[in-house]
Amino acid sequence: MKGFRGSYCSYFLMYFFYYLSLAMMQGLISVYLMDRGYSASQVSLVVSASLAASVALQPVVGALCDRFDKRAVCGGLLAINGALSYVFPMLTAFPLLAAVYSMVIAGMNSTNPVVEQMATVSRFPYGRIRVWGTIGYAVGTQVSGILYRYVSPGAMYQMCGIGMAACMIGILGTRDVGQKDVLEKGQGEGGKPGKGHMAFGRDFLWYLVITGLFYGATNVNSTFLPSMFQERGMSIDMAATVIFAATLMEFPIVMFSGRFMDRMKNKMLLMAVFCLLAVQFGAYAFVPSAAFQSAAAFFTKSVATMAYIMINLKVIASIVDKRYQMTALALVAALKSLFTVGFQTVCGYLLDHGTYEGLYLLLLGVAAVGIVLIFISPIPDGTKEKLFG
């Protein structure tokens, strides 16, 4: 165990199996529930319940991680999640199914800020660690499609439980070798001692709204994209293959993050990802071709979401004191869940009474609002932070 603690292998296990498990748990949930006879609004209810549970749990976990050993806190959550995900496909009653799914997703969402932050405080470059999250999510998506079609729909959730156990081993083995130096470099404009507790400052409040719009739109997209592809005539394993290929587009973003993330201004980075959302949602809304929509997903979907994961770490480092950054990350995660609850409710109802084109036209409007808010926001440049080198 001594040689394992702080080793590259521990980070591999943490990232690869965390994102593999996440992909298996939520990637095909709309298809899984609709194939069992539930409506789009019921799918949204399940997803919204999971996000409401996340809103309640994430700030608590963030505060516990700031106060106690974050590995022990997250390791315990993953152990519970693994057991619940293993029994999830055995459930038949809708209320119990929704409750168990909600508990698992809340635990995963609460662990996510810690997992992401660990890559910036390790002795390894960010890209070398985070790339395993990309691979894990891609593999999890592809394996889910194969298991769903050729073994059984429930098999992917039981495999998810095994993945969480492996992730727990990895997270307990990590070590923040360079935490003090990295966080001191990350104080930036908003993180200076005496000025830095800006969790409720103007910059942070603006950022919360922008983040809520981004994740509200992208989480709805992730929920219903597989079912849209299925409506376009794709088999579920082919839809999973498209999402798998799109996930691989995270590679250049992750591997070359050290060359642009620390140099570009926060507002420029935020504007770029919202423009990618506008392109993606515009393609889904106006070009009802499976081939064209697959291409749009390939070039924009995972690029935008992966970039935003890194942007989130950078913005928080530039506007929040280092002492409160885990709490701030947890509050951001909780708010994005809260926004997504509203988005899921509205979009599920819209899809029950409308079309996928109407759904994505609405999301295109959300992306446009986000671009305007970024343009007029007071968010600082954040070029003093050196997190990704």
Side-chain angles (χ1 to χ4, degrees), residues 208-232:
L208 286 178
V209 175
I210 292 167
T211 298
L213 293 178
F214 179 87
Y215 279 110
T218 55
N219 285 340
V220 166
N221 180 41
S222 295
T223 299
F224 292 111
L225 188 61
S227 59
M228 184 189 74
F229 283 149
Q230 196 173 37
E231 186 188 67
R232 298 286 183 260

Side-chain angles (χ1 to χ4, degrees), residues 50 63 109 158 179 200 211 267 272 384:
S50 71
N109 287 343
Q158 292 174 336
Q179 185 173 30
F200 301 102
T211 298
K267 290 176 72 170
K384 295 181 181 180

Side-chain angles (χ1 to χ4, degrees), residues 228-229 231-233 281-294 355-357:
M228 184 189 74
F229 283 149
E231 186 188 67
R232 298 286 183 260
F281 299 152
Y284 300 158
F286 296 114
V287 188
S289 161
F292 190 89
Q293 291 175 345
S294 297
T355 64
Y356 284 101
E357 288 79 8

Side-chain angles (χ1 to χ4, degrees), residues 152-202:
S152 73
M156 61 183 179
Y157 295 112
Q158 292 174 336
M159 180 67 75
C160 173
I162 297 170
M164 288 189 198
C167 177
M168 180 184 66
I169 294 171
I171 206 169
L172 292 174
T174 59
R175 182 167 177 259
D176 298 346
V177 175
Q179 185 173 30
K180 183 175 183 295
D181 293 337
V182 173
L183 290 179
E184 285 180 350
K185 287 190 294 183
Q187 287 179 14
E189 296 98 323
K192 296 175 182 177
K195 177 185 177 183
H197 189 194
M198 299 186 67
F200 301 102
R202 182 185 61 164

Side-chain angles (χ1 to χ4, degrees), residues 260 263-275 311 314-315 374-375 377 379-381 383:
F260 67 92
R263 299 177 185 178
M264 294 180 66
K265 296 179 180 180
N266 286 332
K267 290 176 72 170
M268 187 181 299
L269 290 166
L270 288 167
M271 193 75 73
V273 295
F274 269 85
C275 286
I311 293 167
K314 177 177 165 65
V315 173
I374 293 164
F375 183 76
S377 73
I379 293 173
D381 292 344
T383 52

